[in-house]
């Protein structure tokens, strides 16, 4: 979508335009004299600043007065460190003005609104940092509402680097003679700080996806990409996030909080933070450091390193995914100091669960997804959630939750039937069946249709993976060869290039899921017997094969059956942070104790209710039955009955026809009723009939 400019050349001052025309006419009359040419160039250079000032003045005059007032008030709130006002301007006023004036165009450029910021209290440094923050909002609006061009992509990167460099390397005050950097005295709401980190990673992801499409680039874009190889590089993004973590010392801070947890007379969180470092003492750096840990998880997942993504969550993981409930804080003196935004919880659980799924730790993935989906269902019941009145924020959370539900459906189908982990939460499972029932049916049956369903859900729910390295824009020969390869494979109609990261991860996932496609059929036969021979089992498996070319006989068929049983044995065990807890009998329930420590740690547990051993050519099968948890079933149905009863009680009572003087058939109404205000019964009492409605009983007297 093309964006209209804020001003046009027709708005230039007429005197400036006439001066330029006069100089050009003089040059045309006097010929190609170098001295005159130099003089003309000097005069034009002198006119350019005046022309820019005229353009900025014209653009500022076009800005609505309410927007000017907003900019001035916003700057004054940041200058005064007024956190409630900053929060109101950021979360409420800015979105409303965007919808009213700038839904299809960009906000005024920072150079245009800069003259509004001059005041006696504002220093040059204060004005500079406000313009950097304003420019962050400016480019975020361009990315969300408009189509960014290559200048926007490069300038947004430069502005992000300028902002983080200001936060990390600001010089100390004038009173301090040392050259060491010092923390900045800046106050911003938690939501804005999360949006800064989230938008920084999002723009990096979008730029990498745009950069990888070589064919759609113009000559100017190819030239700029060849010169700017370091723009939005993976190294620079990771360097920013790691620097924020190290500067804030957030991991040391969380370790100190854990040590104080549960102690008598535990120190307050502020005192703990002050004892670590001057940066940790400020909420700005603590919050940015905490959000940078969550951002690192996301970046590593986008780059395809799922193990490292879980590794960076060593300290934070226990808070988010520990033994306590979702987002619970077991000690008010410790974990209350960490930010608690719904967007951070849902996004983090989504990426952690996806890492577990790609590492084939399906029990941990299911538990992670169930936790966040239950939280989102509670959020849906209270749409006026504090801090999330904006529709775009809620829509983003709802989209992430729907993708999480699709991942849950995939993991639910990959876990063997009868596993206790398929019954973690009936409400979430029923919601997944309502939303993705057809795909879950195909995935559970196995075969080629299951792989199609897995591919469909994976492409919808997976993160948008990126390539860490840029195409060789600085090497024309290598770039030309890459374009020739693209054209050749496109002509042949082959599948996407192996360099496409999304399809590369899709192939790896489908290879793992395809190995499990024969398991439902194999498991159904094993359930029928306590012992059978491999020859008999191979004959059963051969009968269900549709393609005649896949059928084999004799020793080869038995060997194939044994291989499938080994795959079943391998998939019946998984590394998990959930330690099973023994119940009465030999049943194992999934409501075990969650292991503490690193998210990569865990123990091997059984995920199937079917076990077997192979003795020579005989298979001995042992099936463990899991008792139904009746307490949960009764609680769920009791709550449902209570909701139905409350709805009935809240329904209006039935009302008779208005204006009818007679009562019901068989009743006697006298004038004394109206005058005395008393109810007179009929002399002959007839049988009564009670009608229950909404919990209130009404009696109607009828004739015998």
């Amino acid at each position: 979508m093309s964006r209209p400019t804020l001003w046009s050349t027709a708005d230039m001052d007429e005197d400036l335009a006439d001066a330029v025309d006069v100089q050009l006419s003089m040059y045309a009359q006097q010929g190609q004299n170098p001295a005159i040419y130099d003089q003309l160039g000097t005069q034009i250079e002198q006119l350019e600043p005046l022309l820019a000032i005229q353009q900025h003045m014209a653009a500022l005059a076009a800005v609505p007065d309410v927007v000017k007032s907003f900019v001035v008030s916003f700057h004054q709130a940041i200058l005064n460190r007024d956190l409630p006002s900053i929060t109101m301007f950021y979360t409420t006023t800015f979105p409303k003005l965007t919808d009213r004036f700038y839904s299809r165009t960009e906000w005024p450029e920072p150079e245009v609104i800069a003259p509004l910021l001059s005041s006696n209290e504002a220093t040059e440094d204060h004005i500079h940092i406000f313009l950097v923050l304003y420019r962050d909002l400016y480019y975020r609006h361009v990315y969300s509402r408009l189509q960014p061009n290559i200048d926007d992509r490069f300038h947004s990167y430069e502005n992000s680097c300028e902002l983080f460099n200001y936060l990390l390397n600001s010089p100390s005050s004038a009173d301090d003679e040392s050259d060491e950097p010092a923390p900045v005295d800046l106050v911003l709401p938690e939501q804005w700080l999360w949006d800064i980190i989230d938008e920084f990673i999002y723009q990096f992801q979008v730029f990498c996806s745009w950069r990888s499409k070589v064919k759609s680039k113009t000559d100017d874009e190819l030239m700029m990409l060849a010169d700017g190889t370091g723009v939005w590089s993976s190294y620079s993004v990771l360097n920013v996030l790691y620097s924020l973590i190290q500067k804030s010392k957030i991991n040391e801070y969380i370790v100190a909080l854990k040590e104080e947890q549960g102690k008598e007379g535990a120190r307050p969180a502020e005192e703990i933070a002050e004892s670590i470092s001057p940066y940790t003492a400020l909420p700005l750096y603590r919050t940015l450091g905490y959000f940078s840990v969550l951002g690192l998880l996301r970046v590593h997942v986008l780059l395809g390193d799922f193990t490292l993504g879980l590794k960076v969550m060593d300290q934070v993981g226990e808070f988010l995914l520990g033994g306590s409930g979702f987002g619970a804080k077991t000690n008010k003196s410790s974990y209350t100091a960490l930010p608690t935004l719904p967007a951070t919880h849902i996004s983090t659980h989504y990426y952690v669960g996806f890492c577990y799924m790609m590492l084939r730790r399906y029990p941990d993935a299911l538990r992670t997804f169930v936790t966040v989906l239950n939280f989102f269902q509670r959020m849906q019941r209270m749409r006026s959630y504090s801090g999330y009145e904006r529709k775009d924020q809620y829509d983003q959370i709802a989209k992430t939750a729907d993708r999480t539900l699709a991942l849950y459906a995939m993991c639910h189908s990959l876990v063997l039937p009868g596993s206790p982990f398929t019954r973690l939460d009936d409400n979430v499972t029923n919601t997944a069946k309502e939303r993705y029932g057809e795909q879950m049916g195909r995935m559970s049956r196995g075969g080629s249709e299951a792989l199609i369903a897995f591919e469909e859900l994976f492409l919808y729910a997976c993160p948008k993976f990126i390539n860490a390295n840029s195409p060789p824009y600085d090497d024309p020969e290598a770039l030309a060869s890459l374009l020739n390869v693209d054209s050749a494979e496109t002509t042949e109609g082959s599948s996407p290039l192996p360099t496409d990261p999304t399809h590369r991860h899709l192939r790896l996932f489908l290879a793992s899921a395809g190995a499990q496609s024969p398991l439902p059929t194999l498991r159904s036969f094993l359930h029928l017997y306590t012992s059978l021979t491999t020859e008999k089992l191979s004959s059963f498996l051969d009968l269900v094969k549709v393609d005649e070319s896949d059928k084999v006989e004799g020793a080869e068929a038995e060997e194939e059956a044994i291989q499938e049983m080994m795959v079943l044995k391998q998939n019946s065990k998984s590394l998990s942070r959930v330690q099973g807890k023994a119940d009465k009998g030999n049943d194992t329930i999934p409501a075990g104790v969650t292991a503490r420590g690193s998210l990569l740690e865990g123990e091997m547990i059984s995920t199937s209710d079917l076990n077997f051993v192979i003795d020579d050519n005989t298979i001995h099968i042992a099936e463990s039955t899991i008792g139904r948890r009746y307490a949960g079933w009764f609680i769920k149905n009791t709550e449902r009955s209570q909701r139905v009863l409350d709805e009935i009680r809240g329904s209006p009572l039935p009302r008779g026809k208005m204006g009818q003087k007679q009562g019901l058939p068989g009743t006697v109404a006298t004038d004394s009723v109206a005058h005395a205000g008393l109810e007179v019964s009929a002399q002959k009492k007839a049988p009564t009939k009670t009608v229950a409605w909404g919990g209130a009983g009404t009696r109607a007297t009828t004739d015998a």
Side-chain angles (χ1 to χ4, degrees):
M1 180 187 298
S2 61
R3 304 195 301 274
T5 57
L6 295 177
W7 59 81
S8 61
T9 55
D11 296 331
M12 293 191 307
D13 189 85
E14 295 181 358
D15 296 336
L16 293 174
D18 294 340
V20 173
D21 292 338
V22 169
Q23 296 295 335
L24 291 176
S25 62
M26 291 174 57
Y27 173 73
Q29 294 174 1
Q30 297 179 9
Q32 304 287 339
N33 191 336
I36 297 178
Y37 177 79
D38 295 339
Q39 181 182 2
L40 177 62
T42 303
Q43 293 178 355
I44 292 179
E45 290 178 358
Q46 295 175 354
L47 292 176
E48 285 180 353
L50 298 176
L51 180 61
I53 293 175
Q54 292 290 334
Q55 291 175 339
H56 289 167
M57 291 177 60
L60 183 60
V63 176
D65 293 337
V66 64
V67 177
K68 295 178 183 178
S69 177
F70 161 74
V71 171
V72 173
S73 302
F74 199 10
H75 174 242
Q76 191 64 33
I78 293 179
L79 185 64
N80 297 335
R81 304 174 76 252
D82 187 359
L83 186 58
S85 299
I86 297 173
T87 304
M88 181 193 66
F89 286 135
Y90 176 76
T91 60
T92 305
T93 310
F94 183 80
K96 288 183 178 180
L97 293 178
T98 300
D99 294 335
R100 182 179 177 184
F101 297 106
Y102 304 107
S103 59
R104 296 183 179 275
T105 184
E106 69 248 19
W107 272 72
E109 292 187 356
E111 293 76 13
V112 174
I113 57 103
L116 300 174
L117 308 179
S118 301
S119 65
N120 296 330
E121 301 178 2
T123 63
E124 184 178 351
D125 185 61
H126 290 151
I127 295 177
H128 171 71
I129 188 56
F130 177 79
L131 291 178
V132 172
L133 294 173
Y134 175 83
R135 199 176 287 112
D136 175 74
L137 298 178
Y138 173 87
Y139 287 116
R140 191 186 309 170
H141 169 68
V142 170
Y143 273 86
S144 62
R145 297 291 186 96
L146 310 172
Q147 183 64 35
N149 53 37
I150 189 170
D151 291 330
D152 294 328
R153 301 179 192 274
F154 276 61
H155 292 162
S156 65
Y157 171 76
E158 295 171 358
N159 185 73
S160 298
C161 292
E162 188 173 1
L163 174 60
F164 292 123
N165 184 64
Y166 173 80
L167 295 174
L168 295 171
N169 303 314
S170 291
S172 57
S173 60
D175 299 335
D176 191 357
E177 297 180 356
S178 63
D179 296 332
E180 294 294 328
V184 298
D185 188 16
L186 184 65
V187 175
L188 295 177
E190 290 181 354
Q191 183 62 50
W192 194 350
L193 295 176
W194 165 251
D195 290 339
I196 288 175
I197 299 296
D198 182 68
E199 187 69 18
F200 178 65
I201 299 174
Y202 169 74
Q203 292 179 10
F204 163 65
Q205 175 186 353
V206 172
F207 181 85
C208 291
S209 300
W210 173 81
R211 182 182 58 188
S212 62
K213 301 174 183 178
V214 183
K215 288 185 177 181
S216 60
K217 302 295 179 290
T218 62
D219 294 338
D220 294 338
E221 291 175 345
L222 292 174
M223 185 181 302
M224 293 183 66
L225 289 171
D227 296 336
T229 54
V231 175
W232 288 117
S233 65
S234 302
Y235 172 79
S236 61
V237 173
L238 292 173
N239 183 44
V240 166
L241 297 177
Y242 277 111
S243 298
L244 287 172
I245 294 173
Q246 294 174 359
K247 185 71 71 172
S248 64
K249 297 186 181 297
I250 187 63
N251 289 323
E252 293 84 347
Y253 175 64
I254 294 178
V255 170
L257 289 178
K258 293 178 182 178
E259 293 176 353
E260 294 290 331
Q261 186 178 4
K263 289 184 179 180
E264 295 183 1
R267 293 182 298 168
E270 293 295 335
E271 182 180 344
I272 297 174
E274 291 175 358
S275 64
I276 296 177
S277 77
Y279 288 91
T280 314
L282 295 179
L284 173 73
Y285 288 92
R286 288 202 307 268
T287 306
L288 281 175
Y290 176 73
F291 289 154
S292 297
V293 175
L294 308 184
L296 266 181
L297 165 68
R298 177 179 173 184
V299 172
H300 287 309
V301 171
L302 295 178
L303 295 175
D305 196 341
F306 309 112
T307 302
L308 187 56
L310 295 178
K311 182 64 178 176
V312 298
M313 296 285 293
D314 279 349
Q315 304 301 333
V316 181
E318 186 175 335
F319 167 61
L320 290 174
L321 307 165
S324 57
F326 172 75
K329 305 174 187 62
T330 56
N331 189 342
K332 292 185 178 180
S333 64
S334 58
Y335 282 144
T336 49
L338 296 177
T340 55
L341 294 177
T344 62
H345 285 302
I346 292 179
S347 174
T348 303
H349 280 73
Y350 166 79
Y351 285 105
V352 169
F354 187 82
C355 288
Y356 279 138
M357 187 185 77
M358 297 302 291
L359 295 175
R360 300 180 63 182
R361 294 176 59 170
Y362 303 123
D364 289 337
L366 285 172
R367 277 192 166 274
T368 306
F369 295 146
V370 165
T371 301
V372 70
L373 290 173
N374 279 329
F375 173 77
F376 179 72
Q377 288 180 355
R378 292 194 296 269
M379 274 192 63
Q380 285 183 309
R381 301 191 189 105
M382 39 190 253
R383 291 294 299 271
S384 59
Y385 196 90
S386 176
Y388 277 84
E389 296 85 358
R390 288 170 51 183
K391 185 178 182 298
D392 57 341
Q393 292 177 341
Y394 183 84
D395 290 345
Q396 184 64 30
I397 292 176
K399 182 179 180 181
T400 304
D402 190 64
R403 294 165 64 190
T404 305
L405 188 64
L407 295 178
Y408 173 83
M410 297 168 63
C411 293
H412 187 276
S413 302
L414 287 171
V415 174
L416 295 176
S419 170
F421 295 97
T422 60
R423 289 160 39 182
L424 289 176
D425 193 291
D426 293 337
N427 291 331
V428 175
T429 303
N430 293 335
T431 304
K433 289 180 179 179
E434 292 176 1
R435 181 73 172 84
Y436 303 106
E438 180 185 356
Q439 290 91 336
M440 291 181 69
R442 286 187 289 165
M443 289 186 296
S444 61
R445 288 192 295 268
S448 58
E449 293 185 357
L451 296 180
I452 297 176
F454 276 119
E455 179 178 359
E456 178 183 343
L457 290 183
F458 185 89
L459 292 177
Y460 167 70
C462 73
K464 303 302 182 278
F465 297 102
I466 57 177
N467 279 321
N469 297 323
S470 169
Y473 288 107
D474 54 346
D475 189 349
E477 296 181 358
L479 188 63
S481 62
L482 179 63
L483 290 173
N484 293 334
V485 172
D486 288 354
S487 302
E489 296 206 4
T490 304
T491 304
E492 295 174 1
S494 59
S495 59
L497 288 174
T499 55
D500 183 13
T502 300
H503 286 82
R504 181 168 63 248
H505 289 290
L506 173 63
R507 285 192 293 271
L508 294 174
F509 175 76
L510 291 181
S512 175
Q516 295 185 224
S517 58
L519 299 187
T521 303
L522 175 62
R523 186 177 178 278
S524 64
F525 288 131
L526 295 179
H527 262 296
L528 302 176
Y529 297 89
T530 57
S531 64
L532 78 163
T533 61
T534 56
E535 181 182 1
K536 190 173 185 179
L537 178 62
S538 62
S539 63
F540 288 157
L541 295 175
D542 194 57
L543 289 175
V544 298
K545 292 181 179 179
V546 179
D547 193 352
E548 295 292 337
S549 60
D550 294 338
K551 295 184 178 181
V552 293
E553 297 179 356
E556 186 178 354
E558 294 185 25
E559 184 65 24
E560 183 178 344
I562 293 176
Q563 290 178 2
E564 293 184 5
M565 294 192 68
M566 293 299 100
V567 175
L568 177 62
K569 175 70 74 173
Q570 179 187 8
N571 285 273
S572 63
K573 293 185 179 297
S574 175
L575 183 66
S576 176
R577 299 181 75 240
V578 179
Q579 299 173 353
K581 183 175 65 176
D583 198 0
K584 293 181 179 181
N586 295 325
D587 298 340
T588 301
I589 62 175
V593 180
T594 303
R596 294 183 179 273
S598 172
L599 299 184
L600 291 172
E601 296 177 0
E603 295 183 358
M604 293 300 298
I605 63 172
S606 176
T607 61
S608 176
D609 60 343
L610 194 67
N611 195 10
F612 61 88
V613 293
I614 302 177
D615 183 12
D616 198 6
N617 291 330
T618 305
I619 306 170
H620 300 279
I621 305 159
E623 182 178 0
S624 59
T625 58
I626 300 176
R628 186 168 185 176
R629 289 172 284 175
Y630 293 102
W633 186 87
F634 278 112
I635 291 174
K636 181 184 68 174
N637 285 277
T638 302
E639 292 177 349
R640 180 181 179 186
S641 301
Q642 186 64 40
R643 288 195 301 268
V644 173
L645 182 59
D646 292 341
E647 292 177 0
I648 294 176
R649 285 179 174 174
S651 302
L653 294 173
R655 302 177 62 182
K657 295 182 179 180
M658 300 298 294
Q660 189 174 9
K661 294 183 178 180
Q662 293 86 358
L664 294 174
T667 61
V668 178
T670 61
D671 294 339
S672 61
V673 175
H675 294 291
L678 300 174
E679 186 176 351
V680 180
S681 302
Q683 295 180 358
K684 184 177 180 181
K685 188 175 181 180
T688 60
K689 179 181 179 181
T690 302
V691 180
W693 191 276
T698 58
R699 289 184 176 274
T701 306
T702 57
D703 290 332

